[in-house]
Amino acid sequence: MTGPGSKVLRLTRAQARRIAVRAQLLEAERPTDLVATVRHLTLLQLDPTAAIAPSADLVAWSRLGSTYRPAQLRGALEVDRTLFEHNALVRPMSDVGLYLAGAADWPPWEKARRWLADNDRFRHDVLDRLGEAGPLTSREIPDTAAVPWSSTGWTHQRNVTQMLEFLMMRGEVAVSGRVGRERVWDLAARVYPPGVEVPSVDAAERVKNERRLRSLGIARATGTATPVEPSIVGDVGERAVVEGVPGEWRVDPGALETVDEELAGRTALLSPFDRLVHNRTRALELFDFDYTLEMYKPAAKRRWGYYALPVLHHDRLVGKVDARADAKAGVLRVDAVHEDVPVGAAVRRAIHAEIEDLAAWLGLDRVDLA
């Protein structure tokens, strides 16, 4: 590897993998605090699929271990207000200003702008209703839309939900909590702390890129847009190339301090939405890991399973665990442990230990291994 003062760093794939694993807090030494973990990762993705457990909880468990309890996440969101939910992501409240930057100019699309303008009275009705009676679920808010929201998707004529989503992005309302999976809404001023410092859009974007690079360790400067959260970081960090991988990368400068040190790794089961594997192209380029979330495929066309968990062993992604939690029977059903590369008996034991730990964390009585 060339030094930080060089024009372009040269990394081996092993170095790049170590950077990525360390950045995602997946070393042997686990973090101990949920909020600090989210602050470092920058987000937990909320997803309604719970074949095993909600993704946000799985990601937290993969880092914190079985000391983590989902009630801690709810407490941080709804009681302590140290985390907040925004656009299906959990983020640290200390970052809220970054996501309010430019909010008053949202939305960027002409169709949405027209719909908001046509429904200005409806917008005020929603804000007034929350101001008087909030927090409320969407079904508790009357639909007074003058013009219904038109869509070919599931949002078609879901006027209250669409207005709340828009007002959240504009920083006028916020998710106050949840009742089951249903969001509870309130005025943003009653959820976010007073005196939030909101930077300019450009300044916020740079800080977000810096935080994202720190959480990923190594990422592309530009690339194809990815759902939910970008995986690109612009011009922040150090320029780098990785042997055997075309193109240029950006590396977190702080990660270079330990790049030549051996990784104190461990075995971990990851959510399909885990940021280590979320960018499937990056996972393939750095880890030789081929993965697709197959829950949307017909059963006969699945290679790995409905909600297969990627398996990390030290700095390699070595396979997938096809599992599902049967809470009524008190069983974690494991239909297959797919080995992408040959692994020895010690690694198999470590994988099975993680499966047992997952079952115990879920409160299930046993593992049913096919």
Side-chain angles (χ1 to χ4, degrees):
M1 184 195 78
T2 55
S6 304
K7 197 168 186 180
V8 180
L9 303 171
R10 298 190 179 277
L11 302 173
T12 66
R13 291 178 86 188
Q15 287 172 326
R17 289 195 301 268
R18 290 198 294 265
I19 287 170
V21 170
R22 285 187 176 118
Q24 278 290 297
L25 305 180
L26 287 163
E27 293 181 89
E29 185 176 351
R30 294 178 182 270
T32 57
D33 181 79
L34 173 64
V35 175
T37 298
V38 178
R39 190 177 297 121
H40 178 89
L41 298 178
T42 75
L43 63 89
L44 295 177
Q45 182 174 343
L46 297 169
D47 185 85
T49 308
I52 298 171
S55 180
D57 292 322
L58 275 176
V59 171
W61 169 77
S62 292
R63 274 70 181 175
L64 299 164
S66 293
T67 59
Y68 167 72
R69 291 289 181 267
Q72 295 170 351
L73 178 58
R74 184 165 185 168
L77 284 166
E78 299 182 17
V79 180
D80 300 333
R81 301 290 192 201
T82 48
L83 302 175
F84 73 102
E85 178 182 338
H86 186 268
N87 200 24
L89 299 169
V90 172
R91 296 193 184 273
M93 189 65 83
S94 55
D95 282 356
V96 69
L98 299 176
Y99 297 91
L100 294 178
D105 296 325
W106 203 92
W109 311 290
E110 183 56 32
K111 173 190 172 182
R113 286 180 181 275
R114 278 200 315 272
W115 187 77
L116 270 179
D118 291 342
N119 283 294
D120 190 57
R121 181 65 261 166
F122 176 32
R123 169 176 165 267
H124 283 284
D125 287 347
V126 171
L127 293 173
D128 290 346
R129 176 75 170 174
L130 287 173
E132 293 167 4
L136 299 170
T137 64
S138 61
R139 70 182 66 192
E140 296 173 302
I141 299 173
D143 181 353
T144 61
V147 177
W149 175 256
S150 175
S151 167
T152 57
W154 71 272
T155 60
H156 183 65
Q157 294 194 351
R158 294 172 65 97
N159 301 321
V160 174
T161 298
Q162 197 65 23
M163 179 60 75
L164 288 166
E165 295 274 1
F166 282 9
L167 296 183
M168 173 186 65
M169 297 304 294
R170 289 177 57 83
E172 297 180 67
V173 306
V175 179
S176 176
R178 284 186 178 244
V179 177
R181 293 183 178 181
E182 191 172 10
R183 290 173 294 182
V184 178
W185 300 87
D186 205 347
L187 298 178
R190 296 204 288 238
V191 177
Y192 302 151
V196 173
E197 184 176 340
V198 180
S200 69
V201 172
D202 288 344
E205 195 61 30
R206 184 161 190 88
V207 172
K208 286 191 282 188
N209 283 339
E210 290 170 346
R211 301 258 177 98
R212 189 179 305 124
L213 181 57
R214 180 171 174 246
S215 75
L216 294 173
I218 179 168
R220 298 288 192 180
T222 60
T224 306
T226 52
V228 183
E229 171 79 355
S231 56
I232 56 175
V233 296
D235 64 357
V236 301
E238 299 276 358
R239 296 169 59 200
V241 293
V242 178
E243 66 172 353
V245 182
E248 194 169 281
W249 299 79
R250 294 283 172 163
V251 178
D252 173 34
L256 298 173
E257 298 172 8
T258 56
V259 69
D260 292 317
E261 295 179 11
E262 286 299 315
L263 180 74
R266 60 184 174 90
T267 304
L269 304 181
L270 307 179
S271 162
F273 299 97
D274 197 288
R275 294 295 285 175
L276 190 71
V277 298
H278 193 267
N279 183 324
R280 312 305 190 202
T281 301
R282 176 179 178 265
L284 189 60
E285 290 177 325
L286 298 184
F287 291 87
D288 286 322
F289 187 65
D290 183 16
Y291 183 79
T292 303
L293 180 58
E294 297 180 313
M295 64 184 185
Y296 304 112
K297 290 184 177 183
K301 294 187 177 181
R302 293 174 191 150
R303 290 180 290 173
W304 305 304
Y306 177 83
Y307 197 76
L309 304 180
V311 180
L312 174 72
H313 180 70
H314 291 235
D315 70 337
R316 301 303 301 266
L317 289 160
V318 298
K320 297 102 176 168
V321 171
D322 179 12
R324 54 198 165 88
D326 186 342
K328 287 185 179 179
V331 177
L332 180 64
R333 304 194 187 279
V334 179
D335 293 326
V337 177
H338 302 282
E339 296 180 6
D340 290 4
V341 296
V343 299
V347 177
R348 289 193 188 98
R349 285 194 297 270
I351 294 170
H352 285 282
E354 283 299 296
I355 293 171
E356 293 283 352
D357 190 63
L358 175 60
W361 173 67
L362 292 169
L364 302 175
D365 298 325
R366 72 180 196 275
V367 173
D368 187 354
L369 186 60

PDB file of all heavy atoms in Angstrom, residues 176-189:
ATOM      1  N   SER A 176     -43.489  10.135  15.447  1.00  0.00           N
ATOM      2  CA  SER A 176     -43.357  10.239  16.901  1.00  0.00           C
ATOM      3  C   SER A 176     -43.163   8.877  17.548  1.00  0.00           C
ATOM      4  O   SER A 176     -42.578   8.768  18.621  1.00  0.00           O
ATOM      5  CB  SER A 176     -44.605  10.907  17.477  1.00  0.00           C
ATOM      6  OG  SER A 176     -44.564  10.941  18.875  1.00  0.00           O
ATOM      7  N   GLY A 177     -43.657   7.842  16.893  1.00  0.00           N
ATOM      8  CA  GLY A 177     -43.554   6.489  17.429  1.00  0.00           C
ATOM      9  C   GLY A 177     -44.294   5.532  16.529  1.00  0.00           C
ATOM     10  O   GLY A 177     -44.654   5.873  15.396  1.00  0.00           O
ATOM     11  N   ARG A 178     -44.533   4.341  17.032  1.00  0.00           N
ATOM     12  CA  ARG A 178     -45.274   3.331  16.269  1.00  0.00           C
ATOM     13  C   ARG A 178     -46.214   2.585  17.191  1.00  0.00           C
ATOM     14  O   ARG A 178     -45.912   2.376  18.364  1.00  0.00           O
ATOM     15  CB  ARG A 178     -44.328   2.350  15.576  1.00  0.00           C
ATOM     16  CG  ARG A 178     -43.667   2.945  14.331  1.00  0.00           C
ATOM     17  CD  ARG A 178     -42.861   1.916  13.577  1.00  0.00           C
ATOM     18  NE  ARG A 178     -42.285   2.498  12.367  1.00  0.00           N
ATOM     19  CZ  ARG A 178     -42.584   2.135  11.119  1.00  0.00           C
ATOM     20  NH1 ARG A 178     -43.458   1.162  10.919  1.00  0.00           N
ATOM     21  NH2 ARG A 178     -42.019   2.716  10.086  1.00  0.00           N
ATOM     22  N   VAL A 179     -47.341   2.169  16.616  1.00  0.00           N
ATOM     23  CA  VAL A 179     -48.245   1.225  17.263  1.00  0.00           C
ATOM     24  C   VAL A 179     -48.210  -0.015  16.380  1.00  0.00           C
ATOM     25  O   VAL A 179     -48.774  -0.023  15.286  1.00  0.00           O
ATOM     26  CB  VAL A 179     -49.676   1.782  17.365  1.00  0.00           C
ATOM     27  CG1 VAL A 179     -50.594   0.725  17.973  1.00  0.00           C
ATOM     28  CG2 VAL A 179     -49.697   3.054  18.187  1.00  0.00           C
ATOM     29  N   GLY A 180     -47.490  -1.037  16.818  1.00  0.00           N
ATOM     30  CA  GLY A 180     -47.207  -2.155  15.934  1.00  0.00           C
ATOM     31  C   GLY A 180     -46.337  -1.662  14.800  1.00  0.00           C
ATOM     32  O   GLY A 180     -45.286  -1.058  15.020  1.00  0.00           O
ATOM     33  N   ARG A 181     -46.800  -1.902  13.591  1.00  0.00           N
ATOM     34  CA  ARG A 181     -46.052  -1.417  12.425  1.00  0.00           C
ATOM     35  C   ARG A 181     -46.554  -0.059  11.931  1.00  0.00           C
ATOM     36  O   ARG A 181     -45.985   0.511  11.003  1.00  0.00           O
ATOM     37  CB  ARG A 181     -46.151  -2.430  11.279  1.00  0.00           C
ATOM     38  CG  ARG A 181     -45.448  -3.745  11.576  1.00  0.00           C
ATOM     39  CD  ARG A 181     -45.511  -4.660  10.381  1.00  0.00           C
ATOM     40  NE  ARG A 181     -44.809  -5.913  10.615  1.00  0.00           N
ATOM     41  CZ  ARG A 181     -44.700  -6.895   9.721  1.00  0.00           C
ATOM     42  NH1 ARG A 181     -45.261  -6.754   8.534  1.00  0.00           N
ATOM     43  NH2 ARG A 181     -44.060  -8.002  10.002  1.00  0.00           N
ATOM     44  N   GLU A 182     -47.618   0.438  12.532  1.00  0.00           N
ATOM     45  CA  GLU A 182     -48.235   1.678  12.070  1.00  0.00           C
ATOM     46  C   GLU A 182     -47.547   2.887  12.691  1.00  0.00           C
ATOM     47  O   GLU A 182     -47.347   2.954  13.908  1.00  0.00           O
ATOM     48  CB  GLU A 182     -49.722   1.681  12.434  1.00  0.00           C
ATOM     49  CG  GLU A 182     -50.506   2.787  11.767  1.00  0.00           C
ATOM     50  CD  GLU A 182     -52.008   2.657  11.999  1.00  0.00           C
ATOM     51  OE1 GLU A 182     -52.408   1.820  12.840  1.00  0.00           O
ATOM     52  OE2 GLU A 182     -52.757   3.397  11.347  1.00  0.00           O
ATOM     53  N   ARG A 183     -47.172   3.835  11.845  1.00  0.00           N
ATOM     54  CA  ARG A 183     -46.503   5.037  12.328  1.00  0.00           C
ATOM     55  C   ARG A 183     -47.475   5.984  13.024  1.00  0.00           C
ATOM     56  O   ARG A 183     -48.628   6.105  12.633  1.00  0.00           O
ATOM     57  CB  ARG A 183     -45.836   5.770  11.157  1.00  0.00           C
ATOM     58  CG  ARG A 183     -44.641   5.058  10.598  1.00  0.00           C
ATOM     59  CD  ARG A 183     -44.121   5.726   9.329  1.00  0.00           C
ATOM     60  NE  ARG A 183     -45.095   5.624   8.237  1.00  0.00           N
ATOM     61  CZ  ARG A 183     -44.888   6.079   7.002  1.00  0.00           C
ATOM     62  NH1 ARG A 183     -43.729   6.678   6.716  1.00  0.00           N
ATOM     63  NH2 ARG A 183     -45.801   5.931   6.069  1.00  0.00           N
ATOM     64  N   VAL A 184     -46.965   6.651  14.043  1.00  0.00           N
ATOM     65  CA  VAL A 184     -47.707   7.686  14.755  1.00  0.00           C
ATOM     66  C   VAL A 184     -47.021   9.007  14.448  1.00  0.00           C
ATOM     67  O   VAL A 184     -45.800   9.133  14.589  1.00  0.00           O
ATOM     68  CB  VAL A 184     -47.721   7.419  16.275  1.00  0.00           C
ATOM     69  CG1 VAL A 184     -48.458   8.531  17.004  1.00  0.00           C
ATOM     70  CG2 VAL A 184     -48.367   6.065  16.566  1.00  0.00           C
ATOM     71  N   TRP A 185     -47.807   9.996  14.030  1.00  0.00           N
ATOM     72  CA  TRP A 185     -47.256  11.255  13.536  1.00  0.00           C
ATOM     73  C   TRP A 185     -47.525  12.397  14.507  1.00  0.00           C
ATOM     74  O   TRP A 185     -48.513  12.393  15.239  1.00  0.00           O
ATOM     75  CB  TRP A 185     -47.885  11.593  12.180  1.00  0.00           C
ATOM     76  CG  TRP A 185     -47.648  10.562  11.123  1.00  0.00           C
ATOM     77  CD1 TRP A 185     -48.398   9.439  10.874  1.00  0.00           C
ATOM     78  CD2 TRP A 185     -46.591  10.551  10.167  1.00  0.00           C
ATOM     79  NE1 TRP A 185     -47.872   8.735   9.825  1.00  0.00           N
ATOM     80  CE2 TRP A 185     -46.758   9.392   9.366  1.00  0.00           C
ATOM     81  CE3 TRP A 185     -45.516  11.400   9.903  1.00  0.00           C
ATOM     82  CZ2 TRP A 185     -45.897   9.075   8.317  1.00  0.00           C
ATOM     83  CZ3 TRP A 185     -44.655  11.095   8.865  1.00  0.00           C
ATOM     84  CH2 TRP A 185     -44.841   9.939   8.081  1.00  0.00           C
ATOM     85  N   ASP A 186     -46.634  13.402  14.446  1.00  0.00           N
ATOM     86  CA  ASP A 186     -46.831  14.615  15.231  1.00  0.00           C
ATOM     87  C   ASP A 186     -46.123  15.759  14.511  1.00  0.00           C
ATOM     88  O   ASP A 186     -45.376  15.539  13.544  1.00  0.00           O
ATOM     89  CB  ASP A 186     -46.275  14.434  16.644  1.00  0.00           C
ATOM     90  CG  ASP A 186     -46.946  15.362  17.659  1.00  0.00           C
ATOM     91  OD1 ASP A 186     -47.656  16.296  17.232  1.00  0.00           O
ATOM     92  OD2 ASP A 186     -46.751  15.159  18.865  1.00  0.00           O
ATOM     93  N   LEU A 187     -46.345  16.952  15.003  1.00  0.00           N
ATOM     94  CA  LEU A 187     -45.601  18.095  14.473  1.00  0.00           C
ATOM     95  C   LEU A 187     -44.112  17.894  14.740  1.00  0.00           C
ATOM     96  O   LEU A 187     -43.720  17.438  15.830  1.00  0.00           O
ATOM     97  CB  LEU A 187     -46.082  19.384  15.126  1.00  0.00           C
ATOM     98  CG  LEU A 187     -47.548  19.766  14.896  1.00  0.00           C
ATOM     99  CD1 LEU A 187     -47.860  21.049  15.653  1.00  0.00           C
ATOM    100  CD2 LEU A 187     -47.857  19.921  13.412  1.00  0.00           C
ATOM    101  N   ALA A 188     -43.300  18.246  13.773  1.00  0.00           N
ATOM    102  CA  ALA A 188     -41.856  18.048  13.918  1.00  0.00           C
ATOM    103  C   ALA A 188     -41.314  18.792  15.139  1.00  0.00           C
ATOM    104  O   ALA A 188     -40.398  18.306  15.811  1.00  0.00           O
ATOM    105  CB  ALA A 188     -41.131  18.502  12.650  1.00  0.00           C
ATOM    106  N   ALA A 189     -41.880  19.941  15.432  1.00  0.00           N
ATOM    107  CA  ALA A 189     -41.397  20.746  16.569  1.00  0.00           C
ATOM    108  C   ALA A 189     -41.570  20.031  17.895  1.00  0.00           C
ATOM    109  O   ALA A 189     -40.895  20.361  18.873  1.00  0.00           O
ATOM    110  CB  ALA A 189     -42.125  22.091  16.596  1.00  0.00           C
TER     111      ALA A 189
END
